[in-house]
Amino acid sequence: MTLFILVRHGQTEWNRNERFRGRADIPLNETGLAQAEATGRRVAAEWQPVAIYTSPLSRSVKTAEAIAKHFGLPVQLHPGLADIDYGEWQGLSPEEARQRWPDEIDAWYNRPQQARIPGGETLEDLRARAMQTVNELADRHPGETIVLVGHTVINRIVLLGVLGLGNERFWRIKQDTCAINVFEADAGDFTLISLNDTCHLHAQ
């Protein structure tokens, strides 16, 4: 059995004023840096991970570093945890994207399992990448606790995979900035322990 601590990165300006972030390397803002520090303290108080893996994007790397320093662990970049590729939507607000791709945006918000982002990834593509990463790391760390730091889209997809739910339920999983999710992996099956826990941020 492997225990996964799945964390979303802290706040950025593109979370505050919603834009499609994807592979754009948007840094944590001041609130996000404080959230990352609080998350590091929470993880240190409750768990003893042996490894910390993160999306290569700096908003996740900085969040991972705030956790890793409590354990003297290196932060390991893993491309399998990168945010969804938003293709031609990257950097646009939902309203801006809707003006150019109304049908595709409608699908994204109402039928996400069918959505095709121009030049980007589908949720099906992302799910294959995400679950391959989770299973690979479970095999690498049997009987151990590890931290993964990702993004709202990939974290939701991982959690749908853990719960055995289809991608049509994408918008029914919430992931706040610096939320902590905990699940166990055991011989290819999963048990969800906690979801979207942000109690460590209440003092922020």
Side-chain angles (χ1 to χ4, degrees):
M1 185 181 74
T2 306
L3 185 69
F4 285 84
I5 314 300
L6 176 65
V7 179
R8 186 187 174 192
H9 64 75
Q11 188 187 92
T12 72
E13 287 305 302
W14 284 18
N15 300 121
R16 242 173 29 91
N17 302 294
E18 182 67 25
R19 289 189 175 275
F20 289 111
R21 296 168 295 278
R23 305 296 175 81
D25 206 6
I26 310 304
L28 297 181
N29 61 18
E30 189 174 335
T31 297
L33 290 167
Q35 290 176 334
E37 291 296 325
T39 304
R41 292 191 294 271
R42 169 78 185 282
V43 174
E46 294 202 28
W47 297 284
Q48 192 63 46
V50 301
I52 297 177
Y53 297 92
T54 180
S55 158
L57 294 162
S58 67
R59 57 190 181 272
S60 290
V61 173
K62 283 292 185 187
T63 304
E65 288 174 348
I67 299 169
K69 69 181 184 181
H70 291 274
F71 305 100
L73 291 171
V75 168
Q76 301 183 60
L77 307 189
H78 198 303
L81 297 172
D83 204 358
I84 189 170
D85 186 345
Y86 273 125
E88 295 184 56
W89 292 357
Q90 183 171 296
L92 301 179
S93 70
E95 294 74 23
E96 289 166 343
R98 189 181 296 279
Q99 290 173 9
R100 295 177 60 185
W101 298 280
D103 293 342
E104 290 84 351
I105 284 288
D106 181 67
W108 175 246
Y109 286 109
N110 295 294
R111 301 176 304 284
Q113 75 280 11
Q114 299 173 4
R116 297 207 163 268
I117 299 170
E121 281 182 293
T122 65
L123 290 185
E124 185 178 357
D125 295 335
L126 185 63
R127 186 159 178 160
R129 165 163 71 84
M131 297 316 292
Q132 179 181 344
T133 300
V134 168
N135 287 318
E136 167 206 322
L137 295 176
D139 288 343
R140 190 182 301 176
H141 294 283
E144 296 178 328
T145 298
I146 62 174
V147 173
L148 310 184
V149 182
H151 307 262
T152 183
V153 177
I154 193 160
N155 285 16
R156 290 177 197 224
I157 286 294
V158 167
L159 291 163
L160 289 174
V162 165
L163 290 167
L165 296 173
N167 292 342
E168 72 277 3
R169 305 303 292 169
F170 175 77
W171 293 109
R172 298 297 175 254
I173 298 276
K174 193 165 184 183
Q175 280 297 278
D176 293 317
T177 48
C178 270
I180 294 174
N181 314 273
V182 183
F183 63 91
E184 295 172 346
D186 188 6
D189 206 357
F190 303 98
T191 301
L192 181 66
I193 298 170
S194 65
L195 173 70
N196 200 44
D197 181 355
T198 58
C199 67
H200 51 290
L201 304 181
H202 292 172
Q204 297 303 306

